[in-house]
Amino acid sequence: MKRILGTTPLTTGLTTGALLAALVLPGTAARADDAAPRVDLRVLVVTDGGPATDAIAAELDAAGTPYTEIDLTRADRPVIDAGYLADTVDGRNRAKFQAVVLPNDNPFPVNSPEMTALAQYERTFDIPQVDAYTYARPEAGLQYPIYGGYSGSVDGTLAQVTSAGRSGPFGYLDGAVPFEDNSASVGESYAYLSTPAAGADFTPYVDAAIPGTTKRGSLVGEYRHDGRRELVVTFVYNQYQQQFRLLARGIVAWMTGGVHLGASRNYFAVHVDDVLAADDRWNSTLNCTPGDVDCTDPHATPDPIRMTSADVDHAVAWQDTRGFTLDLAYNAAGSVDFREDNNGADPLADRLVATRDEFRWINHTYTHAFLGCEQDTTVVPWRCATLPDGSVKWVSRQAVSDEIALNRVWGQTAGLPLADDELVTGEHSGLRVLPQQSADNPHLGPALADNGITWLASDNSREPGQRQVGPATTVPRYPMNVFYNAGRAAEQVDEYNWIYTSRAQGGSGICEDNPATTTCLPAPLDPATGYAQHIVPLERQIALGHVLANDPKPHFIHQSNLAEDRIAYPVLDGVLDGYDALFAANTPVVNLRMKAIGQELRQRAAWRAAVQGGLITAYRVGGTVTIEGPGGLAVPATAPEGTLRAGSAFGESYAGVRSGWTSLTGAALTLALPSAAVPATGTGGSAPAPVSAPAPAPAPAARVPGGVADAVPPGSGG
C-alpha cells in the first residue's frame, strides 16, 4: 500500500456489523448531536494501477489535498471494511474519508464484502464516489453504448460542459473541453458515449456528440441511486492530457462538495532575461553562435541582437492589451557599454526607464558574467580551470558580490521597482552545472548573504526542486524553446533543425545521440513556415500544460525574442488565447513575481511535510470546519463562497470558490460554511443493500476498466 500525503494506517478491531450497529442503529448511547458526524478531510483513492486513478491522485497531490491510496494489486494491502472506513472519536461518529475514488464503479470480485462496506459507508455518511473510468452500463446509470451510443476514439473531439455542469462543479470553465489529437498514428483518448439508462437519476456534466446521431452522450455525469452519489467518468485519460487538466478541478470540487484541504490556481509568469544587454545571433552557416565559448571557427564574428525603444513600446502595448506583466531581468552593463560606444546615447535604456513601472524588474547581475568556476575555453566543451594542486579555481566571493551590487545600484539609481532580494545569475551560473561543474561555487552563498538575496533563480530542466543556497531558496524556471540567439523566425527554425534532425538530414545528430530526452523530427522544418506551424503550437501546448497543472514556476525567454521579428509573442499569445477560450472570467491566470512564486513553492513543501508527518488534523462537523496543526504553519484550504473565518470572508475568490493560505496561530483554524453548504443531518441506519457485481466478461485491449464487459449480458433490456 502506498500512502501519498498520508499518515498511519486506519484500523479498528470492530467487525463490519458491529461497527455499523455502533454508528448508525437506533438506540445507540451517543451524544445528542450525533446527527452531525465528524467527517475527516481526507480522500480514499483505491487504484488498480490504471492511469485514471493515478491522474486524480496527482491532482490531489499537487493541490495539497490529503489522501490515502490503496493498491488493489498488492497482497499486503488493508482490507476495506467498516472498521477501516469509520469509528468514533470523543463519542462522535467519524467518517475517516470525505470521498472515495474507485478505478470504476465496482472494481471488486462478485459479491465482494469490500464493495458492500463501501456502499453502506457512502449511504451512512453521504460520502460521494468517483468512478475514475468506467464502462457505460445501467449499473453506472447509463445505457449500453450499443443502444445508440458510441465506443471508440474521441481524439480531437470538442466536448462541452452542460448547463448543469456550468451551474455545478465545472462552473469555472467557459464551456468547451477539447480532447487532444497530437498524432494521427497514435490513439490518445478512448471513450464510451451514452445516454442515461431508463429511469436512472443521471445528470450529465460534460458531454459530446454521438457520431452518426443527433444525440449527445455523457462523458462525465452524476448518478444518484440507492442513497448514494457517483461521478461517472466514461473516458480514459492520464494526468498530462489537457482534457483531464481542464476537468480535474471540477472532479475534486464534486467529490469534496467544494470543502477540502489544499488549493490550486492557474499560474503563468514570464521572465525576459538579458534586458539592456545584447544576445549573440545564431550563425546558420557555421551552425554555432559566435561569441559563445563553443563557437571556435576563426571566421565566427558576433552579430548582436538588442531590443530597440520601439520594441519597448510594443511590449507595453502588448501587456496593456493582455492584462499581463512581464518580468525583466536586466544587465546594466549592457547600457553602460552601449553609451560608451554611442556618444552617451542609449534610446533603449531611456525608454525602459521611462516605462519602468509597466514591468517587474529582477537583478540579472551587472555583466552577465559566469559566476561558477573559472572556465577553461581552450577545449570544447569547456572545463573548469584548476589550481596547481588540482583543485577547482572558483570565481571569487568579491567578484560575485560585485556583479550583484553594481547591478542593483544601477537599478536603484534608475528608479526601477526592484525586489532587492531576488536574483537571476547569468546562465544560472554559480549553481552546479553538469558535467563540468558538479558543485555550487562555494563563494556563491556568502556573496548572496552579503547582498541580502533570499530568492535565486535556477533552471528547472536541471533542478526541478527547490533547495537552499546560503540564505537563498531557489526558484526553478522553465526554459521555453524559443532560443536566446534568435531574433528572427528563420533563425529559430534553422537552429531548431540543427538540434532536432538526424545527421543524414543535415542536422547535428543531437537527437540521435540522446533518444531518452530528445525526439528527432521526421524531416527538417520549412524555414518559411516551420516556426508558426510547428514550433509555436508545440511551445504553446507545453506552456499551457504547466498553467493548467497548478504549477507556479515561471518560464523564461530572452530580450532577443522581443526584438526584430518579436518571435516570443506568438507563443505567449497562444498560451493566453488558448486559456481565455477555455476558462470563465472567475478563473483568471495568476501572474506572480519571482519571490511570491518562491514563497508558494516553499509553503507547499512545508505543508506536505506536515501532512506526511501526521501533524495535521482536519474535519468537518455540520457547517464548521476545524483544522489543527503546528503553530505558524501556513494551511491551504478551499471552501464555498460565503465561508467565514472569525466573521470575515475566508481566503480569496477563485474559480467560483474561496481558497488560499492561512497561518495557524496556535489555536485551531475554524471556518464557518454558508448554510447552503451544510449537509442534511442524519446518519442513516438502513441495512446494507446488495451491490451489483461487475459483468464477468473480459475487457478487450484494456479499453474497458478491469472487471466490466464490452458486451451486453444476455437478456439485458434496450
Side-chain angles (χ1 to χ4, degrees), residues 330-347:
Y330 72 99
N331 306 105
S335 177
V336 174
D337 292 345
F338 192 93
R339 291 188 191 279
E340 289 180 355
D341 295 338
N342 292 274
N343 298 315
D346 186 2

Side-chain angles (χ1 to χ4, degrees), residues 369-695:
F370 190 84
L371 302 181
C373 61
E374 292 192 14
Q375 293 174 297
D376 176 359
T377 59
T378 62
V379 294
V380 177
W382 63 269
R383 64 190 174 193
C384 286
T386 57
L387 296 169
D389 63 0
S391 61
V392 173
K393 189 176 183 181
W394 299 102
V395 173
S396 71
R397 174 175 177 175
Q398 186 63 54
V400 175
S401 185
D402 285 349
E403 282 287 327
I404 300 168
L406 288 173
N407 208 50
R408 173 188 288 159
V409 168
W410 188 97
Q412 291 172 336
T413 302
L416 303 184
L418 285 170
D420 287 347
D421 52 355
E422 297 177 340
L423 179 69
V424 180
T425 57
E427 300 178 60
H428 303 103
S429 60
L431 297 173
R432 59 188 177 229
V433 53
L434 299 176
Q436 295 101 322
Q437 183 188 314
S438 60
D440 296 341
N441 181 345
H443 303 306
L444 176 62
L448 298 177
D450 293 342
N451 290 275
I453 301 299
T454 56
W455 301 104
L456 177 66
S458 62
D459 186 337
N460 187 79
S461 65
R462 300 174 187 167
E463 297 187 74
Q466 274 190 309
R467 65 182 179 95
Q468 286 298 119
V469 181
T473 305
T474 60
V475 180
R477 305 191 303 166
Y478 286 112
M480 299 189 85
N481 222 5
V482 182
F483 301 139
Y484 80 97
N485 50 6
R488 304 185 182 107
E491 296 163 355
Q492 167 83 13
V493 173
D494 185 85
E495 185 175 2
Y496 200 91
N497 284 338
W498 175 248
I499 296 171
Y500 294 109
T501 58
S502 66
R503 293 179 180 89
Q505 293 176 323
S508 63
I510 291 173
C511 58
E512 295 174 286
D513 299 340
N514 300 276
T517 57
T518 309
T519 301
C520 290
L521 292 167
L525 301 178
D526 185 328
T529 62
Y531 187 66
Q533 295 183 1
H534 179 87
I535 298 174
V536 168
L538 181 58
E539 289 308 303
R540 180 210 69 86
Q541 180 185 24
I542 292 170
L544 184 57
H546 298 153
V547 174
L548 302 185
N550 185 28
D551 188 344
K553 294 176 183 176
H555 297 72
F556 71 96
I557 56 175
H558 294 79
Q559 62 85 32
S560 53
N561 309 140
L562 303 186
E564 300 182 344
D565 286 356
R566 299 169 179 164
I567 60 177
Y569 292 109
V571 176
L572 303 184
D573 281 330
V575 173
L576 296 174
D577 287 342
Y579 186 89
D580 289 346
L582 297 170
F583 286 88
N586 66 359
T587 312
V589 163
V590 178
N591 175 221
L592 302 178
R593 74 171 305 135
M594 190 170 91
K595 65 187 298 181
I597 293 169
Q599 290 164 347
E600 171 74 21
L601 293 172
R602 190 163 65 184
Q603 286 181 150
R604 292 186 186 191
W607 170 249
R608 180 185 300 276
V611 173
Q612 291 178 335
L615 304 179
I616 304 300
T617 299
Y619 55 89
R620 171 179 176 169
V621 177
T624 301
V625 171
T626 302
I627 305 171
E628 301 169 345
L633 178 71
V635 174
T638 298
E641 288 285 0
T643 296
L644 301 178
R645 179 196 178 203
S648 299
F650 163 73
E652 299 173 338
S653 182
Y654 191 81
V657 295
R658 308 290 301 187
S659 60
W661 292 87
T662 303
S663 291
L664 294 173
T665 57
L669 171 62
T670 302
L671 303 179
L673 303 176
S675 58
V678 178
T681 58
T683 58
S686 58
V691 179
S692 300

Side-chain angles (χ1 to χ4, degrees), residues 303-343:
D303 180 12
I305 309 166
R306 191 172 189 255
M307 290 174 65
T308 66
S309 57
D311 295 325
V312 176
D313 291 339
H314 184 88
V316 170
W318 180 85
Q319 287 190 151
D320 290 344
T321 300
R322 303 281 3 179
F324 188 87
T325 301
L326 297 168
D327 295 85
L328 304 188
Y330 72 99
N331 306 105
S335 177
V336 174
D337 292 345
F338 192 93
R339 291 188 191 279
E340 289 180 355
D341 295 338
N342 292 274
N343 298 315

Side-chain angles (χ1 to χ4, degrees), residues 36 109 213 364 495:
T213 76
H364 192 26
E495 185 175 2

Side-chain angles (χ1 to χ4, degrees), residues 258-329:
V259 180
H260 59 86
L261 294 176
S264 66
R265 298 281 191 275
N266 295 336
Y267 300 92
F268 191 43
V270 179
H271 294 182
V272 183
D273 287 5
D274 304 351
V275 170
L276 293 174
D279 292 297
D280 292 322
R281 191 186 309 275
W282 171 257
N283 187 302
S284 300
T285 301
L286 301 176
N287 290 318
C288 66
T289 305
D292 281 5
V293 295
D294 60 350
C295 196
T296 59
D297 191 292
H299 304 292
T301 302
D303 180 12
I305 309 166
R306 191 172 189 255
M307 290 174 65
T308 66
S309 57
D311 295 325
V312 176
D313 291 339
H314 184 88
V316 170
W318 180 85
Q319 287 190 151
D320 290 344
T321 300
R322 303 281 3 179
F324 188 87
T325 301
L326 297 168
D327 295 85
L328 304 188

